[in-house]
Amino acid sequence: MINDYYTLSSQTALSDTEFLFEVRLNASCAIYEGHFPGQPVAPGACQVQIIKECAERALQRPVRLKQIKQCKFLRTIIPAETPSLDVHLLFSEPDILTAEVRSGETTYVKLKSEI
């Protein structure tokens, strides 16, 4: 989905197990034409896919979300109003990914998954 639905603005390794990505949503992407016409919002599946793709970049290998233990969509992401998002990833043992999608002080998504 990268470069069509969103672009990666930056990637920072905060430690060996913690990473921060800045992504920019493409409000003109065709996905928004059907989700939803007149009031485009970021689909939840696309938000999870962004997290997965950022995890793959952080680990430099393919990642499979084996079991999502928790996924909370706390606020609706409207790309025209919030085009830039921070994706914070934390990897812990055994093979657990904890992620948050934020913009400023607002948290949009919290996810915890076995990978």
Side-chain angles (χ1 to χ4, degrees):
M1 286 185 9
I2 194 166
N3 295 328
D4 188 29
Y5 180 71
Y6 73 97
T7 54
L8 181 62
S9 300
S10 68
Q11 174 181 339
T12 306
L14 303 174
S15 73
D16 289 345
T17 59
E18 190 173 7
F19 298 85
L20 183 62
F21 294 83
E22 184 182 346
V23 300
R24 188 149 186 87
L25 299 177
N26 177 5
S28 64
C29 181
I31 288 174
Y32 296 114
E33 292 175 13
H35 203 274
F36 296 96
Q39 180 60 26
V41 299
C46 293
Q47 295 172 52
V48 172
Q49 183 67 23
I50 289 173
I51 292 169
K52 178 187 175 295
E53 290 179 9
C54 288
E56 290 176 335
R57 285 183 170 276
L59 297 176
Q60 299 178 350
R61 66 172 172 84
V63 168
R64 181 171 170 250
L65 301 179
K66 292 179 184 176
Q67 181 182 25
I68 295 177
K69 298 180 178 288
Q70 177 187 35
C71 187
K72 293 182 180 182
F73 299 99
L74 302 169
R75 296 196 185 267
T76 302
I77 299 173
I78 300 170
E81 295 175 7
T82 311
S84 183
L85 298 167
D86 293 325
V87 180
H88 181 254
L89 305 179
L90 179 63
F91 298 94
S92 59
E93 295 297 328
D95 297 325
I96 298 295
L97 164 64
T98 303
E100 284 192 7
V101 177
R102 303 184 292 238
S103 181
E105 297 297 316
T106 304
T107 301
Y108 290 92
V109 182
K110 289 185 175 187
L111 179 135
K112 186 173 187 176
S113 180
E114 182 181 335
I115 56 172

